[in-house]
């Protein structure tokens, strides 16, 4: 009898353990952890890898369809319009319009406990939920320094990169404002954690949506900058904030239209859809209403116009809207309905002038009076201005007009050192922080090519950090004597990547040395970077060469070496040795950045 009882108890325990194991596996099937925080649950998802956009959220219960779910990446909320939820398959998908969560990013969802579960389960099994005492905090990543022999001026070789996870558009965490006098703008970022690998800019595009200025600023404080420093001519411009990380991920605010009127003391300017209007008879203020030539404004607003000289009546038609106005009369008609005007149309210097606010709003446009710029601003619809990297190549400036002959640019200075035709290789760091410098090289290289002796050849070696294993970490663009082809090669380079503090510049220099033609009479390298280089003596496994080895190769091959690098720090010390030994000159990279605030 006792034996039977013991066997029964043993069987029962076996079944109980099996059920417990099964339950445990169900709860943790997704390798996720559920936290309870007040009246909501938090579920951790898989970490980001820079590619994956679909995340599974398996749970020991079913979430009711239409339950509000909030998605976070690195504790920054992703706007609801940027992801979709498949309740049936327990997946959440991030839209292609925003970058996938970067490598190592922490991702989680939050949803309310009440009315969340569907079916027979009406409450959360507390055993499946880990209590959360307080809001999780972002823990700064710990940097493990490599064990190497102590060196003078040795720096930490690694800088862990936290992917940029900031929403673009209306939810961008920053504000751009023009002061009341219209003389300066201010930028403030509303972020708790701004990573040192982020680069922050104010972008300025003209009325044709072409990038003309880029102003770098410190995101840690409120940034103010005088508009006069931009030397903008009278016209319409779009300003927006842009943040970029070292891997090329970016976020941007909504572009804001800013009219610039350098003649505001003399005349009022009119902007329609961002374009400055040119009138034979300038806009005139009558009884508080701004009057403009009727035909010009109606046609700019897309309306067809008729003029009856006998009755002095203007008729404008757009779609289903017809407007009639008569010179000298405050009575106007919209589709036959009488509207009383503040000021009647007038004949001024032979031009029929009509009130611009009335006709614009009657045709469905929005009108604003910009008191600071003494300008009328009219838009049919909100402006559509791209903020993508592809749309942000700076327009070329007139070198002769922008360059002071008393203080020539760095490239112009280098060009004066050549007395005979030379084979020249530009070795350029193309990580994201080099954006302004790369624009400088693109813009100034034409004048450089025109200044060197005839018969010179030009090539380009572009480098990032080869340890990132990204595409085109080292890229050689072949020699050419055609300055237009050289400019085309430079225009193909897009700054991106480069998570380390140091870069693979020595490999790039060695590649440049190997590419010089055997029959070169004169060889020159122009090396451009804002960061130190990996040296195999101090960065084990990250470099194939040391500074001393590259120095020997430069001397052996008779290469003149010029460097454009920071004025201080390890990069300067490394390159100074190569410059001093190889008949070159060291230049400060701060003098080779285009359109950056000082």
């Amino acid at each position: 009898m006792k034996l039977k009882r013991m066997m029964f108890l043993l069987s029962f325990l076996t079944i109980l353990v099996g059920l417990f194991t099964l339950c445990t596996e169900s709860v943790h099937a997704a390798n996720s952890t559920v936290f309870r925080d007040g009246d909501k649950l938090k579920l951790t998802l898989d970490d980001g890898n820079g590619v994956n956009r679909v995340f599974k959220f398996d749970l020991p219960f079913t979430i009711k369809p239409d339950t509000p779910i909030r998605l976070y990446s690195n504790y920054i909320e992703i706007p609801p319009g940027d992801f979709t939820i498949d309740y049936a398959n327990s997946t959440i998908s991030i839209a292609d319009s925003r970058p996938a969560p970067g490598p190592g990013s922490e991702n989680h969802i939050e949803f309310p406990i009440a009315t969340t579960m569907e079916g027979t389960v009406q409450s959360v099994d507390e055993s499946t939920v880990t209590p959360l005492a307080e809001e999780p905090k972002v823990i700064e990543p710990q940097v493990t320094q490599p064990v190497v022999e102590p060196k003078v001026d040795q720096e930490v070789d690694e800088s862990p990169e936290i992917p940029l996870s900031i929403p673009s558009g209306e939810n961008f965490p920053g504000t751009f404002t023009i002061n009341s006098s219209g003389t300066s703008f201010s930028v403030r970022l509303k972020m708790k954690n701004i990573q040192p690998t982020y680069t922050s800019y104010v972008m300025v595009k003209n009325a044709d949506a072409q990038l003309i200025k880029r102003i770098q600023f410190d995101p840690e404080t409120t940034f103010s900058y005088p508009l006069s420093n931009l030397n903008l001519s009278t016209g319409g411009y779009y300003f927006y904030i842009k943040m970029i990380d070292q891997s090329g991920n970016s976020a941007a605010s909504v572009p804001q239209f800013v009219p610039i009127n350098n003649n505001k003391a003399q005349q009022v300017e009119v902007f329609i859809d961002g374009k400055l209007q040119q009138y034979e008879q300038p806009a005139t203020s009558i009884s508080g209403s701004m009057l403009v030539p009727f035909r010009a404004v109606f046609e700019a607003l897309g309306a067809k116009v008729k003029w009856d000289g006998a009755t002095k009546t203007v008729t404008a038609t757009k779609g289903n809207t017809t407007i009639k106005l008569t010179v000298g009369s405050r009575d106007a008609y919209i589709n036959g309905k009488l509207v009383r005007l503040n000021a009647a149309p007038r004949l001024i210097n032979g031009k029929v002038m009509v009130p611009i606010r009335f006709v614009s709003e009657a045709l469905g446009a929005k009108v604003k009076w910009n008191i600071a710029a003494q300008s009328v601003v009219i838009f049919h619809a909100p402006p559509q201005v791209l903020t993508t990297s592809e749309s942000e190549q700076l327009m070329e400036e007139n070198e002769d007009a922008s360059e002071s002959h008393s203080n020539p640019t760095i490239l112009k200075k280098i060009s004066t050192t050549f007395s005979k035709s030379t084979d020249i290789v530009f070795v350029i760091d193309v990580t994201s922080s080099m954006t302004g410098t790369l624009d400088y090289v693109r813009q100034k290289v034409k004048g450089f090519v025109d200044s060197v002796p005839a018969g010179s050849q030009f090539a380009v070696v572009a480098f990032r950090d080869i340890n990132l294993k990204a595409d085109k970490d080292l890229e050689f663009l072949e020699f050419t004597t055609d300055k237009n082809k050289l400019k085309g090669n430079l225009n193909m380079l897009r700054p991106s990547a480069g998570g380390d503090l140091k870069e693979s510049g020595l490999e790039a220099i060695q590649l440049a040395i190997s590419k010089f033609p055997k029959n070169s009479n004169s060889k020159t390298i122009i090396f451009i970077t804002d960061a130190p280089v990996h040296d195999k003596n101090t960065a084990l496994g990250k470099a194939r060469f040391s500074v001393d080895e590259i120095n020997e190769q430069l001397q052996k091959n008779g290469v003149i070496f010029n460097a454009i690098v920071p004025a201080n720090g390890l990069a300067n010390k490394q390159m100074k040795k190569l410059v001093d030994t190889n008949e070159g000159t060291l230049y400060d990279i701060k003098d080779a950045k285009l359109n950056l605030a000082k």
Side-chain angles (χ1 to χ4, degrees), residues 143-255:
V143 180
T144 302
Q145 300 188 14
V147 180
V148 296
E149 295 182 7
K151 299 278 184 180
V152 179
D153 293 332
Q154 183 175 324
E155 297 183 359
V156 177
D157 196 50
E158 294 286 342
S159 176
E161 184 172 334
I162 299 177
L164 183 146
S165 182
I166 302 171
S168 288
E170 294 181 356
N171 293 316
F172 181 85
T175 58
F176 172 92
T177 55
I178 300 286
N179 69 348
S180 58
S181 63
T183 57
S184 66
F185 65 81
S186 297
V187 175
R188 186 168 71 88
L189 294 179
K190 303 173 182 178
M191 295 175 60
K192 293 182 179 180
N193 297 295
I194 299 176
Q195 303 304 324
T197 54
Y198 294 176
T199 306
S200 304
Y201 299 103
V202 173
M203 302 292 201
V204 185
K205 289 188 172 182
N206 63 16
D208 295 320
Q210 297 170 308
L211 186 67
I212 59 170
K213 302 287 180 182
R214 179 194 292 112
I215 308 102
Q216 189 175 351
F217 68 92
D218 180 359
E220 297 288 350
T221 59
T222 298
F223 172 70
S224 297
Y225 193 72
L227 285 170
S228 59
N229 285 8
L230 298 176
N231 296 316
L232 299 175
S233 58
T234 296
Y237 300 89
Y238 299 93
F239 287 66
Y240 60 95
I241 311 168
K242 184 91 179 254
M243 297 191 73
I244 308 172
D245 70 12
Q246 289 283 60
S247 294
N249 302 313
S250 65
S253 64
V254 175

Side-chain angles (χ1 to χ4, degrees), residues 27-45:
V27 170
H28 298 288
N31 294 320
S32 301
T33 305
V34 186
F35 297 93
R36 180 167 186 167
D37 182 17
D39 60 352
K40 63 178 180 290
L41 296 179
K42 296 185 178 182
L43 172 69
T44 59
L45 306 176

Side-chain angles (χ1 to χ4, degrees), residues 2-194:
K2 289 183 179 181
L3 181 61
K4 289 183 178 180
R5 286 183 181 179
M6 289 179 63
M7 291 181 66
F8 174 80
L9 286 174
L10 182 61
S11 299
F12 176 78
L13 287 173
T14 301
I15 294 172
L16 186 62
V17 170
L19 289 173
F20 178 79
T21 302
L22 181 63
C23 178
T24 303
E25 288 177 352
S26 174
V27 170
H28 298 288
N31 294 320
S32 301
T33 305
V34 186
F35 297 93
R36 180 167 186 167
D37 182 17
D39 60 352
K40 63 178 180 290
L41 296 179
K42 296 185 178 182
L43 172 69
T44 59
L45 306 176
D46 289 339
D47 288 348
N49 60 11
V51 177
N52 185 34
R53 295 179 177 277
V54 181
F55 294 86
K56 191 82 172 170
F57 54 89
D58 283 343
L59 287 166
F61 47 80
T62 303
I63 300 179
K64 182 186 296 184
D66 299 326
T67 296
I69 293 180
R70 303 173 72 177
L71 173 63
Y72 294 81
S73 183
N74 282 340
Y75 296 96
I76 298 176
E77 185 171 7
I78 295 177
D82 286 356
F83 64 88
T84 56
I85 305 167
D86 184 343
Y87 294 91
N89 295 306
S90 299
T91 59
I92 192 162
S93 303
I94 296 176
D96 292 338
S97 58
R98 67 174 293 122
S105 59
E106 185 279 345
N107 306 295
H108 73 269
I109 58 174
E110 296 182 3
F111 51 92
I113 294 177
T115 67
T116 295
M117 279 61 71
E118 183 176 50
T120 57
V121 181
Q122 298 297 323
S123 61
V124 180
D125 183 354
E126 297 292 340
S127 67
T128 69
V129 179
T130 302
L132 185 65
E134 59 182 10
E135 188 74 13
K137 298 179 180 178
V138 178
I139 302 174
E140 293 294 329
Q142 300 296 315
V143 180
T144 302
Q145 300 188 14
V147 180
V148 296
E149 295 182 7
K151 299 278 184 180
V152 179
D153 293 332
Q154 183 175 324
E155 297 183 359
V156 177
D157 196 50
E158 294 286 342
S159 176
E161 184 172 334
I162 299 177
L164 183 146
S165 182
I166 302 171
S168 288
E170 294 181 356
N171 293 316
F172 181 85
T175 58
F176 172 92
T177 55
I178 300 286
N179 69 348
S180 58
S181 63
T183 57
S184 66
F185 65 81
S186 297
V187 175
R188 186 168 71 88
L189 294 179
K190 303 173 182 178
M191 295 175 60
K192 293 182 179 180
N193 297 295
I194 299 176

Side-chain angles (χ1 to χ4, degrees), residues 377-413:
V377 178
I378 302 169
F379 276 99
H380 285 93
Q384 301 296 316
V385 180
L386 294 176
T387 60
T388 59
S389 298
E390 292 76 12
S391 72
E392 292 173 342
Q393 183 172 316
L394 277 169
M395 285 183 64
E396 293 188 13
E397 296 179 352
N398 186 327
E399 271 192 79
D400 294 333
S402 63
E403 184 176 320
S404 169
H405 293 287
S406 61
N407 183 28
T409 63
I410 292 175
L411 291 186
K412 186 62 72 68
K413 291 177 182 178

